[in-house]
Amino acid sequence: MNIIEIILPLALVCTLGFICAKRAWLSKNDIDSISKLTFKLLIPAFLFQKMATAELAGNININYFIGFYLPLLITYGIAFLINFKFHNGYKSQSASAGVFALGASYSNTVIVGIPVLMAVLGEQSLSLVFLIITFHSALLFTLTSILALNNQREPANSSPHALWHKLAQQTLFNPLVASISLGLLVNLLPMSLPNVLNNTLILLGSPAIALALFLLGCSLTFYRIRQQKYFIACATLIKLVLLPTLVYITSKHLLLLSHEVVTTLVIISACPTGVNAYLIAKIQNIHRETVAGSIVASTLSCIVTLPCWLWFLSN
């Protein structure tokens, strides 16, 4: 398996977006319009269709979830504390720390993880992948949204109802979380999507990932990433090294899971930061440059780290 053949097209699409924005072939208004279409319609359609039609594994083992989600939450907490304690611009701000933690823990399973696992373990690994990542986005996005509530200073007499309303707006009404949740609900119902609707969603979702990567490249022209280089490097190291290490220790040595399951969990966790993390940073208007830089840096770096993990797991 050639990891470069999987990663390089992602980097090229991102580079194309950077060039188009840098050369002003697309105006800021053009980019904003494409962004609205992509993140409010195309990506939700893509996520809903994938989740609604996923073949979830029949034998659900709670240890599979523990092996992945326990290290994931620990890693999220470590990244949160690093930003909360040491970031000069966002020190002691839970909202920014949450967004940074998201960028250091959210995996690009769809674009990178699934092709790699199919090449290594075959299509039989996909049922376990979809089972594990069912709550991936919903968990991390909801957790980040809860922390981001502190970013909006409320009057002293704000009611709990107002806070819960804002949380609902950022989670239940978030296009990403809503599409995943509804897709899971449809998947669990004793029915399937009509062919016409399914094919329509496939058609809508087919350009979603490419456009998200393109817009990520465009965004890099508007942010001063060099000012965040240390935190970008930190997030990349946490994402590609610390998280998969904790997943390996938990699944292999604490839970004693099978080699195939361990490989699946480690590869999912060793994927670069997912593009949708940038959308959350954009919605919260915090750490956009850091998350965008982390996505690019981790995507390029995983050309080296993913083969290392595959070699390690094969021995």
Side-chain angles (χ1 to χ4, degrees), residues 166-181:
K166 286 198 170 184
L167 176 60
Q169 286 182 321
Q170 296 185 28
T171 54
L172 298 178
F173 302 138
N174 182 303
L176 301 183
V177 176
S179 59
I180 293 170
S181 302

Side-chain angles (χ1 to χ4, degrees), residues 49-314:
Q49 191 275 332
K50 291 295 182 184
M51 186 58 67
T53 58
E55 295 184 6
L56 302 180
N59 297 321
I60 299 178
N61 187 335
I62 189 64
N63 286 336
Y64 297 166
F65 293 95
I66 296 174
F68 179 77
Y69 282 105
L70 178 60
L72 178 66
L73 291 174
I74 292 174
T75 301
Y76 187 100
I78 291 172
F80 178 93
L81 290 174
I82 289 174
N83 187 97
F84 193 82
K85 294 292 186 182
F86 301 110
H87 196 288
N88 291 331
Y90 295 119
K91 194 171 184 179
S92 300
Q93 296 183 20
S94 60
S96 60
V99 171
F100 175 78
L102 177 69
S105 59
Y106 181 71
S107 293
N108 191 342
T109 52
V110 175
I111 304 177
V112 179
I114 289 177
V116 171
L117 285 169
M118 287 183 62
V120 175
L121 299 176
E123 291 190 7
Q124 66 271 15
S125 65
L126 294 186
S127 60
L128 177 58
V129 172
F130 281 116
L131 175 66
I132 296 300
I133 68 174
T134 297
F135 309 103
H136 183 218
S137 297
L139 173 65
L140 292 183
F141 293 169
T142 301
L143 179 58
T144 303
S145 295
I146 292 173
L147 294 170
L149 286 177
N150 292 332
N151 187 51
Q152 302 174 11
R153 297 180 179 178
E154 300 292 332
N157 60 350
S158 290
S159 66
H161 176 75
L163 293 177
W164 280 109
H165 179 69
K166 286 198 170 184
L167 176 60
Q169 286 182 321
Q170 296 185 28
T171 54
L172 298 178
F173 302 138
N174 182 303
L176 301 183
V177 176
S179 59
I180 293 170
S181 302
L182 289 175
L184 176 61
L185 178 62
V186 171
N187 192 301
L188 296 176
L189 292 175
M191 57 174 287
S192 58
L193 290 176
N195 287 334
V196 173
L197 177 58
N198 187 56
N199 292 336
T200 300
L201 291 171
I202 292 174
L203 190 62
L204 275 174
S206 57
I209 300 301
L211 281 174
L213 288 166
F214 180 87
L215 290 167
L216 174 64
C218 293
S219 69
L220 296 178
T221 62
F222 304 118
Y223 305 135
R224 298 178 180 178
I225 291 179
R226 290 184 180 180
Q227 295 182 357
Q228 301 294 331
K229 58 183 178 182
Y230 296 114
F231 276 84
I232 290 173
C234 179
T236 301
L237 186 65
I238 291 172
K239 183 67 199 67
L240 300 182
V241 179
L242 177 61
L243 176 56
T245 298
L246 293 178
V247 169
Y248 175 79
I249 292 172
T250 303
S251 59
K252 175 74 173 179
H253 298 291
L254 297 182
L255 300 175
L256 305 177
L257 300 177
S258 67
H259 174 73
E260 180 177 327
V261 173
V262 171
T263 299
T264 300
L265 298 183
V266 171
I267 294 305
I268 291 175
S269 62
C271 290
T273 302
V275 177
N276 290 336
Y278 169 70
L279 173 60
I280 301 300
K282 188 173 182 181
I283 290 174
Q284 302 297 344
N285 197 27
I286 305 170
H287 265 323
R288 290 181 295 176
E289 63 275 14
T290 306
V291 174
S294 299
I295 293 170
V296 174
S298 61
T299 299
L300 295 176
S301 299
C302 80
I303 295 176
V304 175
T305 57
L306 263 179
C308 290
W309 277 112
L310 290 171
W311 174 83
F312 175 77
L313 292 167
S314 65

